[in-house]
Coordinates of all heavy atoms in Angstrom, one line a residue:
D1 N 0.9 -1.2 0.0 CA 0.0 0.0 0.0 C 0.9 1.2 0.0 O 1.5 1.5 1.0 CB -0.9 0.0 1.2 CG -1.9 1.1 1.2 OD1 -1.5 2.3 1.4 OD2 -3.1 0.9 0.9
R2 N 1.0 1.9 -1.1 CA 1.9 3.0 -1.3 C 1.6 4.2 -0.4 O 2.5 4.9 0.1 CB 1.9 3.5 -2.8 CG 2.3 2.4 -3.8 CD 3.8 2.1 -3.7 NE 4.2 1.1 -4.7 CZ 5.4 0.7 -4.9 NH1 6.4 1.2 -4.2 NH2 5.7 -0.2 -5.9
E3 N 0.3 4.4 -0.2 CA -0.1 5.5 0.6 C 0.3 5.3 2.1 O 0.8 6.3 2.7 CB -1.7 5.7 0.6 CG -2.2 6.9 1.3 CD -3.7 7.1 1.1 OE1 -4.2 6.5 0.2 OE2 -4.2 7.9 1.9
L4 N 0.1 4.1 2.6 CA 0.5 3.8 4.0 C 2.0 3.5 4.1 O 2.6 3.6 5.2 CB -0.3 2.7 4.5 CG -1.8 2.9 4.7 CD1 -2.5 1.6 5.2 CD2 -2.1 4.0 5.8
G5 N 2.6 3.1 3.0 CA 4.0 2.8 3.0 C 4.3 1.4 3.7 O 5.3 1.3 4.3
I6 N 3.3 0.5 3.5 CA 3.5 -0.8 4.2 C 3.3 -1.9 3.2 O 2.7 -1.8 2.1 CB 2.4 -1.0 5.3 CG1 1.0 -1.0 4.7 CG2 2.6 0.1 6.4 CD1 -0.1 -1.4 5.7
F7 N 3.8 -3.1 3.5 CA 3.5 -4.3 2.8 C 2.2 -4.9 3.4 O 2.0 -4.9 4.6 CB 4.6 -5.4 3.0 CG 5.9 -4.9 2.5 CD1 6.9 -4.5 3.3 CD2 6.2 -4.9 1.1 CE1 8.2 -4.0 2.8 CE2 7.4 -4.4 0.6 CZ 8.4 -4.0 1.5
V8 N 1.3 -5.3 2.5 CA 0.0 -5.7 3.0 C 0.0 -7.2 3.4 O 0.5 -8.1 2.7 CB -1.1 -5.5 1.8 CG1 -2.5 -5.9 2.3 CG2 -1.1 -4.1 1.4
Q9 N -0.6 -7.4 4.6 CA -0.6 -8.7 5.2 C -1.2 -9.8 4.3 O -0.6 -10.8 4.1 CB -1.4 -8.6 6.5 CG -1.8 -9.9 7.2 CD -0.7 -10.4 8.2 OE1 0.3 -9.7 8.4 NE2 -0.9 -11.5 8.7
N10 N -2.3 -9.5 3.7 CA -3.0 -10.4 2.7 C -4.0 -9.6 2.0 O -4.5 -8.5 2.5 CB -3.6 -11.6 3.4 CG -4.6 -11.3 4.5 OD1 -4.2 -11.2 5.7 ND2 -5.8 -11.1 4.1
D11 N -4.5 -10.1 0.9 CA -5.5 -9.4 0.1 C -6.8 -9.3 1.0 O -7.2 -10.2 1.6 CB -5.9 -10.3 -1.1 CG -4.9 -10.1 -2.3 OD1 -4.1 -9.1 -2.2 OD2 -4.9 -10.9 -3.2
G12 N -7.3 -8.1 1.0 CA -8.5 -7.8 1.8 C -8.2 -7.4 3.2 O -9.2 -7.0 3.9
Y13 N -7.0 -7.4 3.6 CA -6.7 -7.1 5.0 C -7.1 -5.6 5.3 O -7.7 -5.3 6.4 CB -5.2 -7.3 5.3 CG -4.9 -6.9 6.8 CD1 -5.1 -7.9 7.8 CD2 -4.4 -5.7 7.2 CE1 -4.9 -7.6 9.1 CE2 -4.1 -5.4 8.5 CZ -4.4 -6.3 9.5 OH -4.1 -6.0 10.8
L14 N -6.8 -4.7 4.4 CA -7.1 -3.3 4.7 C -8.6 -3.0 4.6 O -9.0 -1.9 4.9 CB -6.3 -2.4 3.7 CG -4.7 -2.5 3.9 CD1 -4.0 -1.6 2.8 CD2 -4.3 -2.2 5.3
D15 N -9.4 -3.9 4.1 CA -10.8 -3.7 4.1 C -11.5 -4.1 5.4 O -12.7 -3.8 5.6 CB -11.4 -4.6 3.0 CG -10.9 -4.2 1.6 OD1 -10.7 -3.0 1.4 OD2 -10.8 -5.1 0.7
K16 N -10.7 -4.7 6.3 CA -11.2 -5.1 7.6 C -11.4 -3.8 8.5 O -10.8 -2.7 8.2 CB -10.3 -6.1 8.3 CG -10.1 -7.4 7.6 CD -9.1 -8.3 8.3 CE -8.9 -9.6 7.6 NZ -10.0 -10.5 7.8
E17 N -12.1 -3.9 9.6 CA -12.2 -2.9 10.5 C -10.9 -2.8 11.3 O -10.6 -3.7 12.1 CB -13.4 -3.1 11.5 CG -13.6 -1.9 12.4 CD -14.9 -2.1 13.3 OE1 -15.4 -3.3 13.3 OE2 -15.3 -1.2 14.0
L18 N -10.1 -1.8 11.0 CA -8.7 -1.8 11.5 C -8.6 -1.2 13.0 O -8.1 -0.1 13.2 CB -7.8 -0.9 10.6 CG -7.7 -1.5 9.2 CD1 -6.9 -0.6 8.3 CD2 -7.1 -2.9 9.2
K19 N -9.0 -2.1 13.9 CA -8.9 -1.7 15.3 C -7.6 -2.1 15.8 O -6.7 -2.6 15.1 CB -10.0 -2.5 16.1 CG -11.4 -2.1 15.8 CD -12.4 -2.8 16.7 CE -13.9 -2.4 16.4 NZ -14.8 -3.1 17.3
T20 N -7.3 -1.8 17.1 CA -6.0 -2.2 17.7 C -6.3 -3.1 18.9 O -7.5 -3.2 19.3 CB -5.2 -1.0 18.2 OG1 -5.9 -0.4 19.3 CG2 -5.0 0.0 17.1
I21 N -5.3 -3.7 19.5 CA -5.5 -4.6 20.6 C -6.1 -3.9 21.8 O -6.7 -4.5 22.7 CB -4.3 -5.4 21.0 CG1 -3.1 -4.4 21.3 CG2 -3.9 -6.3 19.9 CD1 -1.9 -5.1 21.8
D22 N -5.9 -2.6 21.9 CA -6.5 -1.8 23.0 C -8.0 -1.8 23.0 O -8.7 -1.5 24.0 CB -6.0 -0.3 22.9 CG -4.6 -0.2 23.2 OD1 -4.0 -1.1 23.9 OD2 -3.9 0.8 22.7
D23 N -8.6 -2.2 21.8 CA -10.1 -2.3 21.7 C -10.6 -3.6 22.2 O -11.8 -3.8 22.2 CB -10.5 -2.1 20.2 CG -10.2 -0.7 19.8 OD1 -10.5 0.3 20.5 OD2 -9.5 -0.5 18.7
I24 N -9.7 -4.6 22.5 CA -10.2 -5.9 23.0 C -10.3 -5.8 24.5 O -9.4 -5.5 25.3 CB -9.2 -7.0 22.6 CG1 -8.9 -7.0 21.1 CG2 -9.7 -8.3 23.1 CD1 -7.8 -7.9 20.7
P25 N -11.5 -6.2 25.1 CA -11.7 -6.2 26.5 C -10.7 -7.2 27.2 O -10.4 -8.2 26.6 CB -13.1 -6.7 26.7 CG -13.8 -6.3 25.4 CD -12.8 -6.5 24.4
A26 N -10.1 -6.8 28.3 CA -9.1 -7.7 29.0 C -9.6 -9.1 29.3 O -8.9 -10.0 29.2 CB -8.7 -7.0 30.3
E27 N -10.9 -9.2 29.6 CA -11.5 -10.5 30.0 C -11.6 -11.4 28.7 O -12.0 -12.6 28.9 CB -12.8 -10.3 30.7 CG -13.9 -9.6 29.8 CD -13.9 -8.1 29.9 OE1 -12.9 -7.6 30.4 OE2 -15.0 -7.5 29.6
E28 N -11.4 -10.8 27.5 CA -11.5 -11.6 26.3 C -10.2 -12.1 25.7 O -10.1 -12.6 24.6 CB -12.3 -10.9 25.2 CG -13.8 -10.6 25.6 CD -14.6 -9.9 24.6 OE1 -14.1 -9.8 23.4 OE2 -15.7 -9.4 24.9
M29 N -9.1 -11.8 26.5 CA -7.8 -12.2 26.1 C -7.4 -13.5 26.9 O -7.7 -13.6 28.0 CB -6.8 -11.1 26.4 CG -7.1 -9.8 25.6 SD -6.6 -9.9 23.9 CE -4.8 -9.8 24.0
P30 N -6.6 -14.4 26.2 CA -6.3 -14.4 24.8 C -7.6 -14.7 24.0 O -8.4 -15.6 24.4 CB -5.3 -15.5 24.7 CG -5.5 -16.4 25.9 CD -6.1 -15.5 27.0
I31 N -7.6 -14.1 22.8 CA -8.9 -14.2 22.0 C -9.0 -15.6 21.5 O -10.2 -16.0 21.2 CB -8.9 -13.2 20.9 CG1 -7.7 -13.4 19.9 CG2 -8.9 -11.8 21.4 CD1 -7.8 -12.5 18.7
N32 N -8.0 -16.4 21.3 CA -8.1 -17.8 20.8 C -8.8 -18.7 21.7 O -9.2 -19.8 21.4 CB -6.8 -18.4 20.3 CG -5.8 -18.6 21.4 OD1 -6.2 -18.8 22.6 ND2 -4.5 -18.5 21.1
Q33 N -9.0 -18.2 23.0 CA -9.7 -19.0 24.0 C -11.1 -18.4 24.3 O -11.8 -19.0 25.1 CB -8.9 -19.1 25.3 CG -7.6 -19.9 25.0 CD -6.7 -19.9 26.3 OE1 -7.2 -19.7 27.4 NE2 -5.4 -20.1 26.1
H34 N -11.4 -17.3 23.7 CA -12.7 -16.7 24.0 C -13.5 -16.4 22.7 O -14.8 -16.2 22.8 CB -12.5 -15.4 24.7 CG -11.9 -15.5 26.1 ND1 -10.6 -15.6 26.3 CD2 -12.5 -15.7 27.3 CE1 -10.3 -15.8 27.6 NE2 -11.5 -15.8 28.2
W35 N -12.9 -16.3 21.6 CA -13.6 -16.0 20.3 C -13.7 -17.3 19.4 O -12.8 -18.1 19.5 CB -12.9 -14.9 19.5 CG -12.9 -13.6 20.2 CD1 -13.3 -13.2 21.4 CD2 -12.5 -12.3 19.5 NE1 -13.2 -11.9 21.6 CE2 -12.7 -11.3 20.5 CE3 -12.0 -12.0 18.3 CZ2 -12.4 -10.0 20.2 CZ3 -11.7 -10.7 18.0 CH2 -11.9 -9.7 19.0
S36 N -14.7 -17.3 18.6 CA -14.7 -18.4 17.6 C -13.7 -18.0 16.5 O -13.3 -16.9 16.3 CB -16.1 -18.4 16.9 OG -16.3 -17.3 16.1
W37 N -13.2 -19.1 15.8 CA -12.2 -18.9 14.8 C -12.8 -18.0 13.6 O -12.1 -17.3 13.0 CB -11.7 -20.2 14.2 CG -10.6 -20.7 15.1 CD1 -10.7 -21.8 15.9 CD2 -9.3 -20.2 15.3 NE1 -9.5 -22.0 16.6 CE2 -8.6 -21.0 16.2 CE3 -8.6 -19.1 14.7 CZ2 -7.3 -20.8 16.6 CZ3 -7.3 -18.8 15.2 CH2 -6.7 -19.7 16.1
D38 N -14.1 -18.1 13.4 CA -14.7 -17.3 12.4 C -14.6 -15.8 12.8 O -14.3 -15.0 11.9 CB -16.2 -17.7 12.3 CG -16.9 -16.8 11.3 OD1 -16.6 -16.9 10.1 OD2 -17.8 -16.0 11.7
R39 N -14.8 -15.5 14.0 CA -14.7 -14.1 14.4 C -13.3 -13.7 14.4 O -13.0 -12.5 14.0 CB -15.2 -14.0 15.9 CG -15.2 -12.5 16.4 CD -15.7 -12.5 17.8 NE -15.6 -11.1 18.3 CZ -15.9 -10.7 19.6 NH1 -16.2 -11.7 20.5 NH2 -15.8 -9.5 19.9
I40 N -12.3 -14.5 14.8 CA -10.9 -14.1 14.7 C -10.5 -13.8 13.3 O -9.8 -12.9 13.0 CB -10.1 -15.3 15.3 CG1 -10.3 -15.4 16.9 CG2 -8.6 -15.0 15.1 CD1 -9.6 -16.5 17.5
L41 N -10.9 -14.7 12.4 CA -10.4 -14.6 11.0 C -11.1 -13.4 10.3 O -10.5 -12.8 9.4 CB -10.8 -15.8 10.2 CG -10.0 -17.1 10.6 CD1 -10.4 -18.3 9.9 CD2 -8.5 -16.9 10.4
R42 N -12.3 -13.0 10.8 CA -12.9 -11.8 10.2 C -12.3 -10.5 10.8 O -12.5 -9.4 10.2 CB -14.4 -11.8 10.5 CG -15.2 -12.8 9.5 CD -16.7 -12.7 9.7 NE -17.1 -13.3 10.9 CZ -17.6 -12.7 12.0 NH1 -17.6 -11.3 12.0 NH2 -18.0 -13.3 13.1
S43 N -11.6 -10.6 11.9 CA -11.1 -9.4 12.5 C -9.7 -9.1 11.9 O -9.2 -9.8 11.1 CB -10.8 -9.7 14.0 OG -9.7 -10.5 14.2

């Protein structure tokens, strides 16, 4: 992505809701033990 000056993680990554880990409630960490894999992959 020339505008951001980064290499893109994968196709469609920049179309996701680009939150940060600060947006994850502490009680939901680690997310692999609290979220479904579908939710993780969509994030």
Side-chain angles (χ1 to χ4, degrees):
D1 186 287
R2 301 287 184 178
E3 184 175 343
L4 293 174
I6 63 169
F7 299 104
V8 181
Q9 171 87 3
N10 56 268
D11 281 346
Y13 182 82
L14 296 180
D15 296 329
K16 297 176 183 287
E17 187 176 9
L18 298 176
K19 295 183 177 181
T20 69
I21 57 175
D22 292 334
D23 296 311
I24 304 174
E27 62 271 16
E28 296 181 15
M29 297 287 282
I31 61 174
N32 64 30
Q33 297 174 22
H34 293 87
W35 293 10
S36 68
W37 278 109
D38 177 68
R39 182 182 179 187
I40 292 174
L41 294 175
R42 283 187 287 107
S43 77

